Amino acid sequence: MAKFDSIIGFEYNSYAIRAVEVAKSGGEYKLVTYGTQALESAVVEEGFIRDAERFSDAFLTLMRDKNFTAEDMVIGVNNENVVMRYASFPKVPDDKLRNMIFLQAQEFMPIPVQEMEMDYLVAGESVNSDEQEMVDVVLVGARKTMLEQLINVFGAAKKSIYDIEPTSLALCRSASVANPDKCYCLLNASDGIINFMFIKGDKIQTVRSIAIPEKHYDAVQKMYKGEATEDEVNEAADMLVSELNASMSYYSVQHPMDPVDVVYFLVDDKDFSPTADYISNSIALPVESPSFYASMGGAMDIREYSACISMAIQALEG
């Protein structure tokens, strides 16, 4: 069980860091403080912290200016150094499952497993075409060099890291709590990567992660930073629609009895309704940019902090 009353949920990309501090009291969660701090160019590139001093300066400025006091943190990462794959394995006794998964993990991962810290999340059970019982899992791998950087940077800032996890999994928890009866697709793009996660209730049914095509990379990054022209927004949206259609086609073949009810377009910026409307009209499904923890923000729109809040609450629950 967690041994702290409050904790910081933190995530970063190539242009900003953001964090929340959440406290638990009397069985309820309270948003203590939150904020975002811009990063200078080239501080973070390709998911790696290239300039630890400037990254630390930005972090300490955020902690000071927004009055963060907790010493413990959970960190969310979402870049090309984090790989998630959906896989199915023959059902075996629980005490043998981990060894079997790790022995076969390389078949599903594009990066050598010896270069990654590996973990997995059991998503459920199924039966294959041969009537064999299977265990469905989400494999998660993160480059060790990236994790070592994070540990060193935050150790120097005198913060204790409770956990590091993919922000997409945190967002899945947020959506599952808000909509336990729906089947939905979670669409999230960040530094160099796009995640498509299909969930029914609290069960992840399919995961697809792709690198942002190089020819569209600048347009997507500008869109997420609110700096894109109308043509660049349309270019990015067209690419997202194309990849979303491909992902939904694959999903529908695997799960024909569970059609998608809604697409959650999860973004950093507060107002992406025009882009969400464009995607919705293109795929003939509702597309929403929800604020899963709206009640915690009061009059403030805190949708871009959903992953941070989810990670903090998960840690406080132990």
Side-chain angles (χ1 to χ4, degrees):
M1 296 293 290
K3 298 180 180 179
F4 28 73
D5 296 321
S6 68
I7 192 168
I8 296 168
F10 175 91
E11 62 174 330
Y12 69 99
N13 52 36
S14 62
Y15 52 87
I17 59 176
R18 76 173 48 81
V20 303
E21 183 173 343
V22 177
K24 184 177 183 180
S25 178
E28 295 185 354
Y29 298 101
K30 176 185 177 183
L31 186 61
V32 178
T33 187
Y34 62 94
T36 299
Q37 182 71 30
L39 290 176
E40 297 178 42
S41 176
V43 171
V44 173
E45 292 181 327
E46 299 177 337
F48 287 104
I49 300 171
R50 302 298 189 191
D51 190 325
E53 183 176 353
R54 287 195 292 168
F55 187 94
S56 295
D57 286 345
F59 173 74
L60 293 172
T61 297
L62 177 60
M63 294 295 102
R64 181 189 66 244
D65 290 352
K66 298 298 182 179
N67 297 314
F68 284 84
T69 59
E71 297 298 327
D72 297 281
M73 304 179 59
V74 56
I75 300 172
V77 289
N78 187 42
N79 55 58
E80 56 264 55
N81 299 302
V82 180
V83 180
M84 292 189 295
R85 293 290 186 269
Y86 193 87
S88 295
F89 299 91
K91 187 176 182 181
V92 296
D94 291 346
D95 61 345
K96 297 182 179 180
L97 181 63
R98 187 175 188 86
N99 285 340
M100 181 187 67
I101 288 174
F102 283 8
L103 284 172
Q104 299 182 37
Q106 187 62 79
E107 298 176 20
F108 304 93
M109 307 302 280
I111 301 172
V113 294
Q114 63 267 28
E115 297 179 10
M116 297 187 293
E117 290 291 341
M118 294 289 304
D119 205 349
Y120 66 92
L121 173 70
V122 175
E125 297 183 1
S126 59
V127 178
N128 67 11
S129 57
D130 296 324
E131 301 299 319
Q132 182 182 16
E133 292 185 327
M134 307 292 286
V135 178
D136 304 319
V137 305
V138 178
L139 294 172
V140 180
R143 286 190 188 273
K144 293 178 180 179
T145 48
M146 179 194 67
L147 299 177
E148 289 167 357
Q149 278 190 337
L150 291 172
I151 291 169
N152 291 336
V153 167
F154 290 105
K158 302 189 184 306
K159 294 294 183 182
S160 174
I161 299 177
Y162 175 75
D163 196 11
I164 301 173
E165 71 164 320
T167 55
S168 290
L169 292 182
L171 291 168
C172 284
R173 287 196 302 269
S174 303
S176 296
V177 170
N179 299 283
D181 301 320
K182 285 187 176 181
C183 182
Y184 55 90
C185 173
L186 185 153
L187 165 57
N188 177 242
S190 187
D191 278 358
I193 193 167
I194 311 170
N195 297 309
F196 303 91
M197 306 186 74
F198 293 84
I199 302 103
K200 183 176 182 180
D202 61 354
K203 182 181 184 295
I204 299 173
Q205 303 205 92
T206 300
V207 174
R208 181 175 181 242
S209 297
I210 65 166
I212 295 174
E214 186 175 352
K215 63 181 179 180
H216 301 301
Y217 184 86
D218 288 343
V220 174
Q221 294 302 97
K222 289 180 180 179
M223 182 185 73
Y224 268 73
K225 289 190 282 187
E227 299 174 354
T229 65
E230 182 178 352
D231 286 345
E232 288 169 332
V233 169
N234 291 339
E235 175 191 341
D238 283 337
M239 183 275 296
L240 291 174
V241 166
S242 176
E243 295 296 345
L244 178 58
N245 278 327
S247 298
M248 292 187 68
S249 295
Y250 175 79
Y251 169 79
S252 64
V253 170
Q254 302 296 317
H255 301 277
M257 304 305 293
D258 294 322
V260 173
D261 297 310
V262 62
V263 175
Y264 290 130
F265 182 37
L266 301 171
V267 296
D268 297 342
D269 193 270
K270 293 183 176 63
D271 185 14
F272 264 69
S273 53
T275 308
D277 290 343
Y278 183 93
I279 297 173
S280 180
N281 291 334
S282 300
I283 65 171
L285 272 177
V287 177
E288 302 174 5
S289 294
S291 181
F292 295 122
Y293 299 100
S295 62
M296 295 182 70
M300 302 296 293
D301 187 347
I302 57 169
R303 73 184 65 193
E304 69 265 40
Y305 296 94
S306 291
C308 293
I309 295 171
S310 176
M311 291 186 293
I313 289 175
Q314 178 83 349
L316 290 170
E317 289 178 347

